[in-house]
Amino acid sequence: MNDARLVLERLCAERGEDFAGLSRMLGRNPAYIQQFVRRGVPKRLKEEERRKLARYFSVSESLLGGPPDDEAGPNGLVSVKRHPVSVSAGPGALVNEELGKPYFAFDERWLKGLTATPPTNLSIVRVEGDSMSPTLNAGDEILVDLGDCAERLRDGIYVLRVDDALVVKRLALNPLGRRVTVQSDNPAYPDWPDCSLEEINCIGRVIWAGRKVL
Protein backbone atom coordinates (compact mmCIF):
# COMPACT_ATOMS: atom_id res chain seq x y z
CA MET A 1 0.00 0.00 0.00
CA ASN A 2 1.52 3.31 -1.06
CA ASP A 3 -1.38 5.56 -0.07
CA ALA A 4 -0.76 7.23 3.30
CA ARG A 5 -4.47 7.14 4.20
CA LEU A 6 -4.77 3.40 3.58
CA VAL A 7 -1.56 2.75 5.50
CA LEU A 8 -2.72 4.78 8.48
CA GLU A 9 -6.14 3.13 8.50
CA ARG A 10 -4.56 -0.33 8.35
CA LEU A 11 -2.10 0.52 11.15
CA CYS A 12 -4.96 1.70 13.38
CA ALA A 13 -6.92 -1.47 12.72
CA GLU A 14 -3.93 -3.75 13.36
CA ARG A 15 -2.74 -1.96 16.52
CA GLY A 16 -6.15 -1.23 18.03
CA GLU A 17 -5.70 2.54 17.84
CA ASP A 18 -8.50 5.05 17.29
CA PHE A 19 -8.47 8.15 15.11
CA ALA A 20 -9.47 10.49 17.95
CA GLY A 21 -6.58 9.36 20.15
CA LEU A 22 -4.04 9.89 17.38
CA SER A 23 -5.51 13.33 16.69
CA ARG A 24 -5.07 14.33 20.32
CA MET A 25 -1.48 13.05 20.27
CA LEU A 26 -0.84 15.47 17.39
CA GLY A 27 -2.47 18.33 19.28
CA ARG A 28 -5.40 18.42 16.86
CA ASN A 29 -9.16 18.25 17.25
CA PRO A 30 -10.50 14.68 17.71
CA ALA A 31 -11.83 14.48 14.12
CA TYR A 32 -8.54 15.47 12.42
CA ILE A 33 -7.22 11.98 11.54
CA GLN A 34 -10.67 10.69 10.59
CA GLN A 35 -11.09 13.59 8.16
CA PHE A 36 -7.63 12.92 6.71
CA VAL A 37 -8.31 9.20 6.21
CA ARG A 38 -11.97 9.30 5.12
CA ARG A 39 -12.33 12.70 3.41
CA GLY A 40 -8.80 13.50 2.26
CA VAL A 41 -8.59 16.72 4.31
CA PRO A 42 -5.83 17.77 4.56
CA LYS A 43 -4.36 16.33 1.38
CA ARG A 44 -1.02 15.62 3.10
CA LEU A 45 0.11 15.38 6.70
CA LYS A 46 2.49 18.06 7.90
CA GLU A 47 6.10 16.94 8.26
CA GLU A 48 6.05 17.12 12.07
CA GLU A 49 2.77 15.18 12.24
CA ARG A 50 4.05 12.54 9.82
CA ARG A 51 7.23 12.14 11.88
CA LYS A 52 5.31 11.70 15.15
CA LEU A 53 3.02 9.08 13.65
CA ALA A 54 5.91 7.19 12.04
CA ARG A 55 7.74 7.07 15.37
CA TYR A 56 4.60 6.03 17.23
CA PHE A 57 3.90 3.12 14.88
CA SER A 58 7.61 2.34 14.26
CA VAL A 59 7.25 2.60 10.49
CA SER A 60 9.08 4.54 7.80
CA GLU A 61 7.86 8.07 7.12
CA SER A 62 7.77 7.16 3.43
CA LEU A 63 4.69 4.99 4.14
CA LEU A 64 2.87 8.07 5.42
CA GLY A 65 3.66 10.32 2.49
CA GLY A 66 7.25 11.26 3.35
CA PRO A 67 10.25 11.15 1.02
CA PRO A 68 11.81 7.76 0.20
CA ASP A 69 14.35 6.45 2.69
CA ASP A 70 18.02 6.73 1.85
CA GLU A 71 19.02 4.13 -0.71
CA ALA A 72 21.54 1.48 0.16
CA GLY A 73 25.08 1.79 -1.13
CA PRO A 74 27.20 -0.87 -2.82
CA ASN A 75 26.38 -4.48 -1.89
CA GLY A 76 23.18 -3.40 -0.12
CA LEU A 77 25.03 -1.71 2.75
CA VAL A 78 23.71 1.35 4.58
CA SER A 79 26.12 3.73 6.31
CA VAL A 80 25.54 5.03 9.83
CA LYS A 81 27.53 8.00 11.12
CA ARG A 82 29.37 8.27 14.41
CA HIS A 83 28.04 11.03 16.65
CA PRO A 84 30.84 13.40 17.70
CA VAL A 85 30.65 12.35 21.39
CA SER A 86 31.09 9.36 23.64
CA VAL A 87 28.50 8.43 26.25
CA SER A 88 29.51 8.02 29.85
CA ALA A 89 28.64 4.84 31.73
CA GLY A 90 30.39 6.09 34.84
CA PRO A 91 31.60 9.31 36.44
CA GLY A 92 33.17 10.72 33.26
CA ALA A 93 31.88 13.65 31.21
CA LEU A 94 31.29 14.33 27.56
CA VAL A 95 34.22 13.21 25.38
CA ASN A 96 34.89 14.48 21.86
CA GLU A 97 35.21 11.93 19.08
CA GLU A 98 35.57 11.93 15.31
CA LEU A 99 33.20 14.27 13.47
CA GLY A 100 30.00 12.76 12.09
CA LYS A 101 31.28 10.82 9.12
CA PRO A 102 30.25 7.34 7.90
CA TYR A 103 31.64 4.85 10.39
CA PHE A 104 29.63 1.60 10.31
CA ALA A 105 27.87 -0.01 7.35
CA PHE A 106 24.99 -2.41 7.98
CA ASP A 107 23.11 -4.75 5.67
CA GLU A 108 19.99 -2.86 4.60
CA ARG A 109 17.55 -5.71 5.29
CA TRP A 110 19.10 -6.46 8.67
CA LEU A 111 18.94 -2.82 9.69
CA LYS A 112 15.29 -2.45 8.64
CA GLY A 113 14.50 -5.57 10.67
CA LEU A 114 16.07 -3.88 13.68
CA THR A 115 14.33 -0.50 13.34
CA ALA A 116 12.07 1.40 10.97
CA THR A 117 13.96 4.62 11.68
CA PRO A 118 15.87 5.95 8.62
CA PRO A 119 19.69 5.65 8.81
CA THR A 120 19.98 9.45 8.93
CA ASN A 121 18.34 9.32 12.37
CA LEU A 122 20.67 6.65 13.77
CA SER A 123 24.04 7.22 15.37
CA ILE A 124 27.03 5.22 16.56
CA VAL A 125 28.60 6.35 19.84
CA ARG A 126 31.29 4.88 22.09
CA VAL A 127 30.74 3.89 25.71
CA GLU A 128 33.07 5.19 28.43
CA GLY A 129 33.06 3.95 32.04
CA ASP A 130 31.74 0.81 33.74
CA SER A 131 28.38 1.67 35.32
CA MET A 132 26.51 -0.43 32.71
CA SER A 133 28.88 -3.40 33.00
CA PRO A 134 28.55 -6.27 32.15
CA THR A 135 25.84 -5.29 29.63
CA LEU A 136 27.94 -2.47 28.15
CA ASN A 137 31.66 -1.99 28.75
CA ALA A 138 34.08 0.84 28.14
CA GLY A 139 35.03 0.92 24.46
CA ASP A 140 31.83 -0.71 23.23
CA GLU A 141 30.21 0.85 20.17
CA ILE A 142 26.43 1.27 20.48
CA LEU A 143 23.80 2.01 17.85
CA VAL A 144 21.36 4.65 19.08
CA ASP A 145 17.93 5.11 17.53
CA LEU A 146 17.35 8.86 17.82
CA GLY A 147 13.77 8.45 16.63
CA ASP A 148 12.79 5.98 19.37
CA CYS A 149 12.24 8.15 22.42
CA ALA A 150 9.80 10.76 23.72
CA GLU A 151 6.22 9.44 23.21
CA ARG A 152 7.48 5.85 22.77
CA LEU A 153 9.57 5.75 25.96
CA ARG A 154 9.45 2.30 27.60
CA ASP A 155 11.67 -0.05 29.60
CA GLY A 156 15.11 -0.35 28.00
CA ILE A 157 18.57 1.17 27.67
CA TYR A 158 18.72 4.81 26.57
CA VAL A 159 21.19 7.62 26.03
CA LEU A 160 20.22 10.56 28.24
CA ARG A 161 21.50 14.11 28.60
CA VAL A 162 22.35 15.00 32.18
CA ASP A 163 23.65 18.53 32.67
CA ASP A 164 26.48 18.85 30.10
CA ALA A 165 27.13 15.14 29.64
CA LEU A 166 25.57 12.23 27.78
CA VAL A 167 25.07 9.05 29.80
CA VAL A 168 23.79 5.59 28.94
CA LYS A 169 21.42 4.07 31.51
CA ARG A 170 18.59 1.58 31.84
CA LEU A 171 15.09 3.01 32.35
CA ALA A 172 12.35 1.18 34.24
CA LEU A 173 8.96 2.86 33.94
CA ASN A 174 6.37 2.79 36.71
CA PRO A 175 3.16 1.47 35.07
CA LEU A 176 0.99 3.43 37.50
CA GLY A 177 2.26 6.91 36.78
CA ARG A 178 4.65 9.12 34.86
CA ARG A 179 7.63 8.11 36.99
CA VAL A 180 10.79 6.23 36.07
CA THR A 181 13.80 4.66 37.76
CA VAL A 182 17.19 5.30 36.13
CA GLN A 183 19.33 2.22 36.70
CA SER A 184 22.95 1.13 36.29
CA ASP A 185 23.52 -2.55 35.48
CA ASN A 186 26.66 -2.48 37.61
CA PRO A 187 25.45 -2.95 41.25
CA ALA A 188 28.32 -0.79 42.49
CA TYR A 189 26.48 2.27 41.19
CA PRO A 190 23.27 3.57 42.83
CA ASP A 191 19.98 3.89 41.00
CA TRP A 192 18.10 7.17 40.60
CA PRO A 193 14.61 6.20 41.80
CA ASP A 194 11.26 7.90 41.27
CA CYS A 195 12.25 10.43 38.61
CA SER A 196 9.49 12.19 36.68
CA LEU A 197 9.41 11.73 32.91
CA GLU A 198 9.73 15.50 32.59
CA GLU A 199 13.16 15.24 34.24
CA ILE A 200 14.42 12.71 31.67
CA ASN A 201 16.11 14.36 28.69
CA CYS A 202 16.10 11.37 26.38
CA ILE A 203 18.34 11.35 23.29
CA GLY A 204 17.62 7.89 21.89
CA ARG A 205 17.23 4.16 22.55
CA VAL A 206 20.20 1.77 22.38
CA ILE A 207 19.26 -0.98 19.90
CA TRP A 208 22.59 -2.72 19.17
CA ALA A 209 26.09 -2.99 20.60
CA GLY A 210 29.41 -4.15 19.21
CA ARG A 211 32.60 -4.90 21.13
CA LYS A 212 36.07 -6.30 20.85
CA VAL A 213 36.38 -9.86 22.16
CA LEU A 214 39.43 -10.14 24.44
Side-chain angles (χ1 to χ4, degrees), residues 118-129:
T120 53
N121 213 21
L122 302 175
S123 182
I124 294 286
V125 294
R126 180 176 295 165
V127 175
E128 301 290 344

Side-chain angles (χ1 to χ4, degrees), residues 86-95 128-131 162 164-167 189:
S86 291
V87 292
S88 173
L94 196 100
V95 180
E128 301 290 344
D130 64 351
S131 76
V162 178
D164 293 328
L166 295 180
V167 299
Y189 290 80

Side-chain angles (χ1 to χ4, degrees), residues 50-70:
R50 186 181 68 232
R51 184 177 298 114
K52 284 185 178 180
L53 289 170
R55 289 177 181 176
Y56 184 78
F57 285 112
S58 295
V59 299
S60 169
E61 285 188 49
S62 63
L63 293 177
L64 299 175
D69 294 338
D70 293 344

Side-chain angles (χ1 to χ4, degrees), residues 7-197:
V7 171
L8 192 53
E9 187 170 25
R10 175 66 65 85
L11 286 171
C12 287
E14 291 177 348
R15 312 285 178 89
E17 300 288 347
D18 63 90
F19 294 155
L22 292 180
S23 298
R24 286 190 290 269
M25 183 185 72
L26 299 178
R28 295 284 192 167
N29 70 74
Y32 180 73
I33 292 297
Q34 182 176 9
Q35 291 174 341
F36 170 70
V37 172
R38 300 285 168 77
R39 298 174 53 191
V41 179
K43 292 183 178 180
R44 294 175 63 88
L45 294 168
K46 292 185 177 180
E47 181 178 355
E48 183 179 353
E49 296 170 345
R50 186 181 68 232
R51 184 177 298 114
K52 284 185 178 180
L53 289 170
R55 289 177 181 176
Y56 184 78
F57 285 112
S58 295
V59 299
S60 169
E61 285 188 49
S62 63
L63 293 177
L64 299 175
D69 294 338
D70 293 344
E71 295 182 356
N75 302 317
L77 297 178
V78 176
S79 296
V80 175
K81 294 182 179 180
R82 178 198 286 277
H83 198 72
V85 298
S86 291
V87 292
S88 173
L94 196 100
V95 180
N96 288 330
E97 281 288 351
E98 297 93 340
L99 294 177
K101 58 185 179 181
Y103 187 75
F104 269 63
F106 297 92
D107 177 79
E108 182 185 23
R109 290 186 178 181
W110 181 88
L111 191 61
K112 286 186 175 180
L114 191 64
T115 176
T117 299
T120 53
N121 213 21
L122 302 175
S123 182
I124 294 286
V125 294
R126 180 176 295 165
V127 175
E128 301 290 344
D130 64 351
S131 76
M132 286 300 292
S133 178
T135 308
L136 298 173
N137 298 315
D140 288 354
E141 307 280 359
I142 56 176
L143 179 62
V144 183
D145 188 339
L146 305 177
D148 192 353
C149 215
E151 299 92 348
R152 303 191 64 245
L153 198 69
R154 58 202 185 279
D155 289 358
I157 299 176
Y158 288 85
V159 173
L160 312 173
R161 183 177 295 280
V162 178
D163 296 326
D164 293 328
L166 295 180
V167 299
V168 58
K169 297 290 181 182
R170 186 180 298 277
L171 297 185
L173 272 67
N174 185 336
L176 301 180
R178 294 180 59 80
R179 313 295 294 182
V180 62
T181 297
V182 181
Q183 301 172 325
S184 298
D185 285 4
N186 186 339
Y189 290 80
D191 294 341
W192 308 338
D194 199 35
C195 301
S196 88
L197 289 181

